[in-house]
Amino acid sequence: MRKAMTASAACAAALALAGGLAPSASATTDDPPPSDRIVIDVLTVNGSGCPAGTTAVATASDNTAFTVTYSNYLAQAGGDSRATDFRKNCQINLRVHVPQGFTYAIAGADYRGFAHLEDGASGLERANYYHQGMQQSTPVSHTIKGSFSDDWQFSDRTPVTELVFKPCGEDRNFNVNTELRVNKGSSDASKTSFMAFDSTDGSVKTTYHFAWKRCPGA
């Protein structure tokens, strides 16, 4: 049985919020999730890593998270790879419909996939996310060095004091950016190395964890 490779990194420095956008609720704890179901509409999906029809978004039944599943997101180098195959990316634009009186931030994300990297090759996963019209989070990167052939998992968490909540009462889309890169490095150029947001059984999902706040007067 394969063992997953894990790592964690907190998101970098706190994001500057424009005046009046900070939530008035406590900045040190988050409220329980709303009981009413949230709905997420996928507005646009763009990028070489997510061709049309290869990406799905679903919400957790307890409103604590949502997942993104990719079925054709793979970067590769070496062997018969094309020159453009070493980097794949995807941007997903979402409209998150939350129950009245609540707002949300993303407290963290778990990224999973599978990689086969020849000795001397390396793979990189990079991601960030942000509310439309607000400062983007600093992209967080994770690297795997070959030789490696296994499932991988990276978990990023944002300190509670740095959570960026959608302004109450405003409609702002939520953007998710991801990227995979493979560098063949000193590996045998005749052999293919790859890194994917996928697994051999197709069950791998990227999970984004919600933090919830009640809006003033709710």
Side-chain angles (χ1 to χ4, degrees):
M1 180 180 295
R2 297 191 301 263
K3 295 183 179 179
M5 176 180 180
T6 61
S8 62
C11 289
L15 303 177
L17 294 179
L21 296 188
S24 60
S26 167
T28 57
T29 59
D30 58 295
D31 293 320
S35 57
D36 293 339
R37 288 297 306 273
I38 64 173
V39 176
I40 298 181
D41 294 329
V42 180
L43 302 181
T44 59
V45 179
N46 294 303
S48 56
C50 48
T54 65
T55 305
V57 176
T59 58
S61 59
D62 59 0
N63 291 340
T64 60
F66 71 91
T67 59
V68 180
T69 305
Y70 304 98
S71 60
N72 191 23
Y73 198 154
L74 180 147
Q76 63 181 39
D80 296 330
S81 304
R82 296 171 298 181
T84 56
D85 288 343
F86 81 98
R87 176 184 181 270
K88 295 296 176 72
N89 73 296
C90 185
Q91 181 178 63
I92 304 176
N93 185 245
L94 305 171
R95 175 64 58 85
V96 182
H97 302 275
V98 301
Q100 185 174 2
F102 284 86
T103 186
Y104 73 93
I106 298 300
D110 300 321
Y111 304 97
R112 298 179 177 89
F114 182 83
H116 173 81
L117 301 168
E118 296 290 335
D119 186 25
S122 63
L124 177 143
E125 176 269 328
R126 175 180 293 150
N128 75 325
Y129 38 82
Y130 61 95
H131 300 288
Q132 178 185 17
M134 301 177 72
Q135 183 173 337
Q136 296 191 28
S137 62
T138 301
V140 178
S141 301
H142 303 282
T143 300
I144 303 172
K145 294 183 178 181
S147 57
F148 181 90
S149 188
D150 211 335
D151 292 327
W152 56 265
Q153 175 179 327
F154 298 117
S155 296
D156 300 332
R157 295 293 180 264
T158 303
V160 292
T161 55
E162 299 177 14
L163 293 174
V164 179
F165 287 84
K166 182 184 75 69
C168 287
E170 296 188 15
D171 289 329
R172 290 178 183 254
N173 297 339
F174 187 72
N175 294 287
V176 173
N177 296 318
T178 54
E179 177 183 351
L180 292 178
R181 289 178 182 252
V182 172
N183 184 347
K184 65 182 179 61
S186 61
S187 66
D188 185 340
S190 67
K191 297 181 179 180
T192 302
S193 294
F194 68 87
M195 186 172 183
F197 274 120
D198 200 353
S199 70
T200 53
D201 61 5
S203 64
V204 170
K205 298 176 175 65
T206 296
T207 304
Y208 296 89
H209 302 276
F210 286 117
W212 293 98
K213 293 289 185 188
R214 288 188 177 273
C215 293

Short mmCIF file of all heavy atoms in Angstrom, two decimals, residues 5 35-36 61 67 78 85 89 100-101 124 129 131 150 157 170 187 194 198 213 216:
data_model
loop_
_atom_site.label_atom_id
_atom_site.label_comp_id
_atom_site.label_asym_id
_atom_site.label_seq_id
_atom_site.Cartn_x
_atom_site.Cartn_y
_atom_site.Cartn_z
N MET A 5 2.74 11.28 1.11
CA MET A 5 3.76 12.21 1.55
C MET A 5 3.05 13.46 2.03
O MET A 5 2.20 14.01 1.35
CB MET A 5 4.70 12.58 0.38
CG MET A 5 5.73 13.62 0.74
SD MET A 5 6.79 13.98 -0.67
CE MET A 5 7.86 15.22 0.06
N SER A 35 -26.58 26.29 9.51
CA SER A 35 -27.29 25.03 9.33
C SER A 35 -27.87 24.89 7.93
O SER A 35 -28.03 23.77 7.43
CB SER A 35 -28.40 24.90 10.37
OG SER A 35 -29.29 26.00 10.28
N ASP A 36 -28.21 26.01 7.30
CA ASP A 36 -28.74 25.96 5.94
C ASP A 36 -27.61 25.61 4.96
O ASP A 36 -26.47 26.07 5.12
CB ASP A 36 -29.36 27.30 5.55
CG ASP A 36 -30.61 27.62 6.36
OD1 ASP A 36 -31.21 26.67 6.91
OD2 ASP A 36 -30.97 28.80 6.45
N SER A 61 -21.47 18.12 3.40
CA SER A 61 -22.84 18.16 3.92
C SER A 61 -22.95 18.98 5.20
O SER A 61 -24.03 19.49 5.52
CB SER A 61 -23.34 16.74 4.17
OG SER A 61 -22.51 16.08 5.11
N THR A 67 -14.91 20.71 -1.99
CA THR A 67 -13.85 19.95 -2.65
C THR A 67 -13.84 20.23 -4.15
O THR A 67 -14.88 20.55 -4.75
CB THR A 67 -14.03 18.43 -2.45
OG1 THR A 67 -15.29 18.02 -2.98
CG2 THR A 67 -13.95 18.07 -0.97
N GLY A 78 10.37 15.02 -19.84
CA GLY A 78 11.16 13.86 -20.23
C GLY A 78 10.37 12.93 -21.13
O GLY A 78 9.16 13.09 -21.34
N ASP A 85 4.45 20.72 -21.71
CA ASP A 85 3.82 19.83 -20.73
C ASP A 85 4.38 19.98 -19.32
O ASP A 85 3.78 19.47 -18.37
CB ASP A 85 3.99 18.37 -21.15
CG ASP A 85 3.12 17.99 -22.34
OD1 ASP A 85 2.17 18.75 -22.63
OD2 ASP A 85 3.40 16.95 -22.97
N ASN A 89 -1.73 24.62 -15.25
CA ASN A 89 -2.34 25.51 -14.26
C ASN A 89 -3.85 25.50 -14.42
O ASN A 89 -4.40 25.03 -15.42
CB ASN A 89 -1.81 26.94 -14.41
CG ASN A 89 -2.38 27.62 -15.65
OD1 ASN A 89 -2.13 27.19 -16.78
ND2 ASN A 89 -3.17 28.66 -15.44
N GLN A 100 -28.11 33.85 4.72
CA GLN A 100 -28.17 35.24 5.15
C GLN A 100 -27.66 35.38 6.58
O GLN A 100 -27.94 34.56 7.44
CB GLN A 100 -29.60 35.77 5.06
CG GLN A 100 -29.73 37.26 5.35
CD GLN A 100 -31.14 37.74 5.09
OE1 GLN A 100 -32.03 36.98 4.72
NE2 GLN A 100 -31.36 39.04 5.27
N GLY A 101 -26.86 36.41 6.82
CA GLY A 101 -26.33 36.66 8.15
C GLY A 101 -24.97 36.05 8.41
O GLY A 101 -24.42 36.21 9.50
N LEU A 124 6.67 20.42 -8.46
CA LEU A 124 6.25 21.55 -7.61
C LEU A 124 4.75 21.73 -7.71
O LEU A 124 4.17 21.68 -8.80
CB LEU A 124 6.97 22.83 -8.05
CG LEU A 124 6.59 24.12 -7.32
CD1 LEU A 124 7.83 25.01 -7.11
CD2 LEU A 124 5.52 24.91 -8.09
N TYR A 129 -5.56 31.59 -3.25
CA TYR A 129 -6.99 31.82 -3.43
C TYR A 129 -7.33 33.18 -2.84
O TYR A 129 -6.63 33.69 -1.96
CB TYR A 129 -7.81 30.71 -2.76
CG TYR A 129 -7.26 30.21 -1.45
CD1 TYR A 129 -7.50 30.88 -0.26
CD2 TYR A 129 -6.51 29.04 -1.41
CE1 TYR A 129 -6.99 30.41 0.94
CE2 TYR A 129 -5.99 28.56 -0.21
CZ TYR A 129 -6.24 29.26 0.96
OH TYR A 129 -5.72 28.80 2.15
N HIS A 131 -10.77 36.46 -2.58
CA HIS A 131 -12.05 37.03 -2.94
C HIS A 131 -11.85 38.09 -4.02
O HIS A 131 -10.88 38.86 -3.98
CB HIS A 131 -12.72 37.67 -1.72
CG HIS A 131 -13.00 36.72 -0.59
ND1 HIS A 131 -13.98 35.76 -0.66
CD2 HIS A 131 -12.41 36.59 0.62
CE1 HIS A 131 -13.99 35.08 0.48
NE2 HIS A 131 -13.05 35.56 1.26
N ASP A 150 4.64 7.83 -5.72
CA ASP A 150 3.73 7.63 -4.59
C ASP A 150 2.64 8.70 -4.61
O ASP A 150 2.72 9.68 -5.36
CB ASP A 150 4.51 7.70 -3.28
CG ASP A 150 3.93 6.81 -2.19
OD1 ASP A 150 2.71 6.53 -2.25
OD2 ASP A 150 4.68 6.41 -1.30
N ARG A 157 -2.34 26.01 6.00
CA ARG A 157 -3.27 26.57 6.98
C ARG A 157 -2.99 28.05 7.18
O ARG A 157 -1.83 28.47 7.22
CB ARG A 157 -3.16 25.83 8.32
CG ARG A 157 -3.58 24.37 8.27
CD ARG A 157 -5.07 24.23 8.00
NE ARG A 157 -5.52 22.84 7.94
CZ ARG A 157 -5.66 22.15 6.82
NH1 ARG A 157 -5.35 22.71 5.65
NH2 ARG A 157 -6.09 20.90 6.84
N GLU A 170 -22.01 41.73 0.55
CA GLU A 170 -21.47 41.98 -0.79
C GLU A 170 -21.33 40.67 -1.56
O GLU A 170 -20.97 39.64 -0.99
CB GLU A 170 -20.11 42.67 -0.71
CG GLU A 170 -20.15 44.07 -0.09
CD GLU A 170 -18.82 44.77 -0.20
OE1 GLU A 170 -17.97 44.32 -0.99
OE2 GLU A 170 -18.62 45.78 0.51
N SER A 187 17.71 14.02 -14.53
CA SER A 187 17.18 12.66 -14.75
C SER A 187 17.42 12.23 -16.20
O SER A 187 17.71 13.05 -17.08
CB SER A 187 15.68 12.62 -14.44
OG SER A 187 14.96 13.43 -15.35
N PHE A 194 6.28 12.74 -13.93
CA PHE A 194 5.03 13.50 -13.94
C PHE A 194 4.53 13.74 -12.52
O PHE A 194 4.92 13.06 -11.57
CB PHE A 194 3.95 12.77 -14.76
CG PHE A 194 3.46 11.48 -14.15
CD1 PHE A 194 2.42 11.47 -13.22
CD2 PHE A 194 4.03 10.26 -14.51
CE1 PHE A 194 1.96 10.28 -12.68
CE2 PHE A 194 3.58 9.08 -13.97
CZ PHE A 194 2.54 9.08 -13.04
N ASP A 198 -4.39 14.01 -9.10
CA ASP A 198 -5.21 12.85 -9.43
C ASP A 198 -4.57 11.65 -8.77
O ASP A 198 -3.49 11.73 -8.18
CB ASP A 198 -5.29 12.66 -10.94
CG ASP A 198 -6.48 11.82 -11.37
OD1 ASP A 198 -7.17 11.27 -10.49
OD2 ASP A 198 -6.70 11.69 -12.58
N LYS A 213 -18.25 33.36 10.07
CA LYS A 213 -18.55 34.45 11.01
C LYS A 213 -20.00 34.89 10.79
O LYS A 213 -20.50 34.88 9.67
CB LYS A 213 -17.64 35.65 10.75
CG LYS A 213 -16.16 35.42 11.06
CD LYS A 213 -15.91 35.32 12.55
CE LYS A 213 -14.41 35.22 12.82
NZ LYS A 213 -14.14 34.93 14.23
N PRO A 216 -22.68 41.47 11.38
CA PRO A 216 -23.28 42.37 12.39
C PRO A 216 -24.79 42.41 12.26
O PRO A 216 -25.33 42.50 11.16
CB PRO A 216 -22.65 43.73 12.03
CG PRO A 216 -21.37 43.39 11.35
CD PRO A 216 -21.63 42.13 10.58
#
